[in-house]
Amino acid sequence: MRGASVTAEGLGMDGPRGTVFRGVELSAEAGELVAVQGPSGSGRTCLLLALTGRMRTTAGRAEVDGLPLPKRMAAVREITALGPVPDVNDPDPALTVAEHLRERSLLRPYFRGWRRERSTARRERVERAMELAGLSFEELPKGPRTTVRQLERRQELRLGVALALLDEPRLIAVDDVGLKLSDAERLEMWGLLRTVAAAGVTVLASCAQAPEDTAVLRIDAADDPAPGYDGSPEPGAEEQPEPGAEERADPAAAEEAGTSEEPSRRDTTGSPAEATSSTTTTTATTTAKEGSGDAFAETGRA
């Protein structure tokens, strides 16, 4: 396999709600493992997606294997692949490991525009990807019929790496390597990524704390994070008082208002029979309107 070099100078990304990351400097050779280290909310996931051609940057410049970003995003996507990236490409928990591998291998010609390959060549490609990712059916609870929800976290990571390697990319990105892993399992996964890099594939992996013997790109949280990111309301978004809150807060005022309105109600309603008739008509009209609204909503959902 041939890896892809990655360079970035002053790379940044701004979104509609604030800065995602800024001032990223990176120089990675082909076949190198680089750990993108930063706290949660520092934009490390967005950086991985940007360097694989899946998000558009707004500042600076970057190149992947000589392809400029964001100008050649489509071309960069053809030579890169996403490993496990939580909330982006999570595997279907109801499908088995074998089903995921078969599906991904069958879809490759349609995604990449390559010729349909023979079944023997496809099986060999699956076997190579599994071997490089350290994924073995013998180690799974139910072999190839093991569903994703039955996998341990480290096994799910290996499956994600194997799926990415099926595309024979020059660069893969893996997010949150240490998520839900023990110290021993974390070291095991970093060993796996070193093996993939040693095979010639460039690896970008994000984490909260990188191993000491790994090239590290450190990014910090933006100085002006997106409003509401930490749970605070956006500027100008004032809380609206709950309907009836003022009356509940001042019972005397509510009682006075009710007393002042009482005579007018007696003057306008007339006899008790007329009041009852008016109330019944109003209720029926309201019910009819609500029924029409419900029917419209059901039609829209259908």
Side-chain angles (χ1 to χ4, degrees):
M1 294 184 179
R2 182 168 69 90
S5 59
V6 184
T7 59
E9 297 178 3
L11 195 64
M13 179 186 295
D14 291 325
R17 300 182 61 192
T19 300
V20 182
F21 59 82
R22 64 175 54 163
V24 173
E25 304 285 337
L26 173 63
S27 178
E29 298 179 357
E32 185 176 1
L33 168 63
V34 178
V36 180
Q37 177 179 305
S40 178
S42 60
R44 62 194 188 195
T45 301
C46 293
L47 177 60
L48 294 183
L49 296 176
L51 292 176
T52 54
R54 288 159 175 84
M55 288 191 76
R56 184 177 295 274
T57 55
T58 57
R61 58 180 299 273
E63 288 186 357
V64 177
D65 205 32
L67 299 171
L69 287 171
K71 185 177 181 180
R72 301 291 304 279
M73 292 175 64
V76 170
R77 287 195 296 269
E78 291 183 1
I79 64 172
T80 62
L82 293 182
V85 180
D87 299 326
V88 174
N89 62 347
D90 297 323
D92 190 329
L95 295 182
T96 66
V97 173
E99 288 171 337
H100 274 291
L101 292 168
R102 176 177 172 79
E103 179 186 57
R104 184 66 171 262
S105 64
L106 288 172
L107 287 175
R108 170 180 142 167
Y110 299 96
F111 286 153
R112 298 298 180 89
W114 297 334
R115 294 181 179 180
R116 187 187 300 273
E117 60 184 343
R118 295 184 177 181
S119 57
T120 53
R122 186 175 66 251
R123 284 196 297 268
E124 291 175 356
R125 184 161 52 87
V126 172
E127 291 174 358
R128 289 196 302 269
M130 291 181 61
E131 182 180 1
L132 187 55
L135 182 65
S136 173
F137 287 139
E138 287 73 16
E139 297 178 359
L140 303 181
K142 296 183 180 180
R145 296 184 178 181
T146 304
T147 61
V148 172
R149 64 167 54 96
Q150 295 173 324
L151 296 176
E152 299 177 4
R153 171 61 180 165
R154 61 184 184 85
Q155 294 172 333
E156 186 176 343
L157 285 174
R158 290 183 181 276
L159 173 61
V161 172
L163 293 174
L165 292 173
L166 281 175
D167 295 339
E168 297 182 342
R170 300 178 189 175
L171 181 150
I172 67 171
V174 181
D175 192 26
D176 274 338
V177 175
L179 181 65
K180 299 179 181 179
L181 293 178
S182 65
D183 292 341
E185 292 172 337
R186 190 177 299 110
L187 292 176
E188 176 185 337
M189 294 314 304
W190 282 108
L192 163 64
L193 298 180
R194 290 190 188 92
T195 301
V196 174
V201 181
T202 306
V203 181
L204 302 179
S206 74
C207 60
Q209 184 63 45
E212 296 181 355
D213 56 345
T214 305
V216 179
L217 168 64
R218 291 180 173 84
I219 57 175
D220 299 320
D223 296 333
D224 53 342
Y229 181 80
D230 58 351
S232 59
E234 296 186 19
E238 299 180 356
E239 292 188 5
Q240 299 297 327
E242 183 181 354
E246 295 180 357
E247 287 80 2
R248 289 195 301 270
D250 191 356
E255 182 178 357
E256 182 180 353
T259 304
S260 62
E261 293 176 0
E262 186 64 26
S264 62
R265 283 201 297 268
R266 284 198 296 268
D267 292 340
T268 56
T269 55
S271 63
E274 293 177 358
T276 304
S277 175
S278 176
T279 303
T280 304
T281 303
T282 303
T283 304
T285 304
T286 303
T287 304
K289 290 182 179 179
E290 292 176 351
S292 300
D294 293 342
F296 181 80
E298 290 294 332
T299 305
R301 285 195 293 270

